[in-house]
Amino acid sequence: MWNSFRTDSHLGITAEITTYSAGGGDHIHAYVSRPKGDGPFPGVVAIHHMPGWDEFYQEFSERLARHGYAVIAPDLYCRFGHGTPDDVAAKVRSQGGVHDDSVVADCAAALTWLQAQPWCSGKVGIIGSCSGGRHATLTASKVPGFSALVDLWGGGVIMEPDQITPARPVAPIDLTADLSAPILGIFGNDDRSPTAEQVDQHEAELAKHGKEYEFHRYDGAGHGFFYYHTPMYRQEQAMDGWAKVLDFFGRKLG
Amino acid sequence: MCTNISESAAIKGAGKGPAGWFALNQATVGFDHATHSEAEHALLLDFTNYDLGTDARVAVELDLTSGRALLEQLKATIEAAEATGLHG
């Protein structure tokens, strides 16, 4: 739970940009944050949102690290070049977005990288928001080995035929039978992607396939309600949502 | 929400960024998460030349009303320009 650390504890984290061997053997950037010490710490792969590998995701990762997790947040846009996060995201947008296969390969490699670290317990979760929620769901449906999945308002888990693009050729909901991790879903009822109806569809599909899931839906919140740097932020819902995330990871990765 | 609405086209012109003027060769128009606007979503206009680097970009975010107004301005101005016979 947030703000429940002991005041006599020796809390400390390390956080830095590094590189790791990602999909196709490419060395791409990643933000790695973890508690100080030898561990072993449970791991988390954090997948950034469409606006890019940005400062929000660094702080997002640091929050998880402060709560005991070794977090790797790959720069999924790394191959498009470098600049400020919004410049890079604009370039990616102009080229139709990052390909799903590239994301899945980078996240699979991030899982392997974490599990090879002496300070990682080997239990690894995956989390993402917005497009990252979709990517997290997609990855956990195609790559075995994750012990927990958190989908934060992932838009495009359910896709209409006209939403299929070369970069996004598959609707993750169609891979639900292959989902290999319990899933926590956090959604705002005013969101338009996913809509409340799409969240219902997703939940029904998980139930149909006997998957372990926990979905939480918040009134008075739309998309991106954890984003304290935007007008989408909803304090009460975000803090409760974070509590759900930390509780879920605690139970599944502890 | 991520709309993934984005259209790109080759263009010819010039834009001014923090380092001065540079040649433009691409325009991308999208409607998706705003980076700096108050609104959750905005029309995203990017005039770029990625041959010169990722930061060779003139970025504009507009609401839809402003976008329509701009469209009308462009249309009227282009028609007036063509009527002069000075283009080309």
Side-chain angles (χ1 to χ4, degrees):
Chain A
M1 185 173 291
W2 190 78
N3 203 30
S4 60
F5 67 97
R6 281 193 56 87
T7 54
D8 59 354
S9 69
H10 295 281
L11 176 68
I13 65 169
T14 65
E16 64 179 341
I17 293 174
T18 184
T19 61
Y20 78 108
S21 180
D26 296 339
H27 282 263
I28 70 168
H29 288 109
Y31 193 70
V32 174
S33 46
R34 65 182 181 89
K36 283 185 174 175
D38 296 332
F41 310 109
V44 173
V45 177
I47 309 181
H48 65 75
H49 48 181
M50 178 173 279
W53 190 61
D54 60 6
E55 190 156 346
F56 174 81
Y57 257 84
Q58 294 180 353
E59 294 179 356
F60 181 97
S61 299
E62 287 163 10
R63 177 173 288 195
L64 289 168
R66 291 169 57 81
H67 284 267
Y69 298 94
V71 186
I72 180 169
D75 176 7
L76 304 172
Y77 295 170
C78 195
R79 297 175 187 82
F80 289 82
H82 294 288
T84 61
D86 67 297
D87 278 348
V88 175
K91 185 176 183 185
V92 174
R93 185 170 62 245
S94 76
Q95 296 181 16
V98 63
H99 199 289
D100 281 349
D101 291 348
S102 172
V103 173
V104 171
D106 288 349
C107 292
L111 169 65
T112 301
W113 184 86
L114 270 177
Q115 290 179 326
Q117 304 309 311
W119 35 259
C120 181
S121 70
K123 277 200 165 184
V124 176
I126 186 167
I127 186 170
S129 63
C130 179
S131 62
R134 175 182 176 276
H135 283 145
T137 303
L138 181 69
T139 300
S141 303
K142 299 187 85 165
V143 178
F146 289 101
S147 298
L149 157 66
V150 176
D151 172 10
L152 302 175
W153 55 89
V157 170
I158 297 168
M159 301 168 73
E160 299 299 327
D162 64 354
Q163 294 176 311
I164 299 289
T165 69
R168 290 174 290 276
V170 174
I173 194 170
D174 294 337
L175 305 177
T176 300
D178 299 325
L179 180 64
S180 58
I183 175 174
L184 171 71
I186 301 282
F187 307 99
N189 285 331
D190 297 335
D191 201 340
R192 284 168 290 174
S193 180
T195 63
E197 292 73 25
Q198 287 174 326
V199 174
D200 288 342
Q201 278 179 263
H202 191 187
E203 185 170 8
E205 192 71 5
L206 289 163
K208 186 176 101 180
H209 290 283
K211 301 297 178 182
E212 183 182 346
Y213 66 90
E214 299 174 27
F215 275 17
H216 299 279
R217 306 140 187 266
Y218 292 91
D219 287 330
H223 197 78
F225 58 94
F226 282 19
Y227 299 160
Y228 43 76
H229 58 303
T230 77
M232 296 182 274
Y233 184 60
R234 297 292 180 272
Q235 174 264 333
E236 183 181 355
Q237 296 88 337
M239 291 310 293
D240 192 77
W242 264 112
K244 298 281 193 305
V245 170
L246 295 173
D247 172 69
F248 183 74
F249 274 160
R251 284 184 282 120
K252 303 302 178 188
L253 305 180
Chain B
M1 62 178 283
C2 308
T3 68
N4 299 302
I5 297 171
S6 184
E7 300 281 343
S8 291
I11 60 168
K12 192 157 68 174
K16 191 174 185 183
W21 287 92
F22 60 97
L24 296 171
N25 62 12
Q26 179 173 293
T28 301
V29 180
F31 180 73
D32 220 310
H33 292 296
T35 297
H36 203 72
S37 300
E38 286 289 312
E40 181 180 339
H41 299 92
L43 278 173
L44 309 174
L45 280 64
D46 290 306
F47 302 97
T48 57
N49 184 343
Y50 291 129
D51 294 340
L52 302 177
T54 307
D55 61 349
R57 170 185 178 227
V58 178
V60 177
E61 295 186 350
L62 298 175
D63 63 23
L64 289 179
T65 302
S66 303
R68 285 207 175 276
L70 178 64
L71 197 61
E72 292 304 314
Q73 282 177 283
L74 277 170
K75 184 169 178 289
T77 304
I78 289 169
E79 287 173 358
E82 287 173 339
T84 66
L86 294 173
H87 64 287

